[in-house]
Amino acid sequence: MTAYGQNTTAPDPALAALDRLTGTWKVTGGAEGTVTYRWMEGRYFLLQDIALVQDGQNVVGLEVIGRDRPFGAERPGEDVRSRFYDSVGNTFDYVYELVGDTLTIWAGEKGSPARYTGTFSADGNTVTGPWTYPGGGGYDSTMVRTA
């Protein structure tokens, strides 16, 4: 990093792999609605706009996905992390990993038993898989690209 706000390196391949998520998706399963992924200028952060209904409750929020690089750090962190902010004041942290056609999103830290494991279809326009929670629970989820 040179001066504040100026980077001298491009986003890394693990973050760039998430480009497959860009666009608007219809979500069905345990949560219903739409999500839209879009890159922030510079492509260091992927933003997700969320408008879902889950368990009868509206879930409206914004997720910021990228590598942590705290003030003064010369390099970003190892994991692709996110923080989700919703319209009722909640914040949730996740770790993203996309290997081949498998997208894993862990709640909290990588390796957490609370996670989503989805698989992209051959054409890349559908992602299906379960949200798994410790002690049971969870639900199947499908995302279909609409734009």
Side-chain angles (χ1 to χ4, degrees), residues 100-111:
D101 289 330
T102 302
L103 173 65
T104 305
I105 306 170
W106 289 279
E109 295 297 322
K110 189 173 184 176

Side-chain angles (χ1 to χ4, degrees), residues 38 47-50 60-64 83-86:
R38 58 191 167 86
L47 307 176
Q48 180 184 192
D49 299 299
I50 295 128
V60 176
L62 171 69
E63 185 175 20
V64 179
R83 174 152 291 171
F84 171 75
Y85 304 87
D86 73 18

Side-chain angles (χ1 to χ4, degrees), residues 27 37-38 41 55 98 140:
V27 178
Y37 290 89
R38 58 191 167 86
E41 185 175 340
D55 297 326
L98 180 57
D140 289 331

Side-chain angles (χ1 to χ4, degrees), residues 16-78:
L18 297 178
D19 193 53
R20 293 176 76 177
L21 291 169
T22 59
T24 299
W25 301 79
K26 179 181 178 184
V27 178
T28 58
E32 307 267 333
T34 61
V35 297
T36 300
Y37 290 89
R38 58 191 167 86
W39 287 106
M40 183 176 173
E41 185 175 340
R43 295 180 62 95
Y44 289 92
F45 297 98
L46 185 63
L47 307 176
Q48 180 184 192
D49 299 299
I50 295 128
L52 300 171
V53 175
Q54 184 175 14
D55 297 326
Q57 302 293 315
N58 287 332
V59 179
V60 176
L62 171 69
E63 185 175 20
V64 179
I65 306 161
R67 293 204 188 261
D68 288 343
R69 186 168 52 206
F71 185 75
E74 291 188 27
R75 285 176 230 172
E78 183 177 324

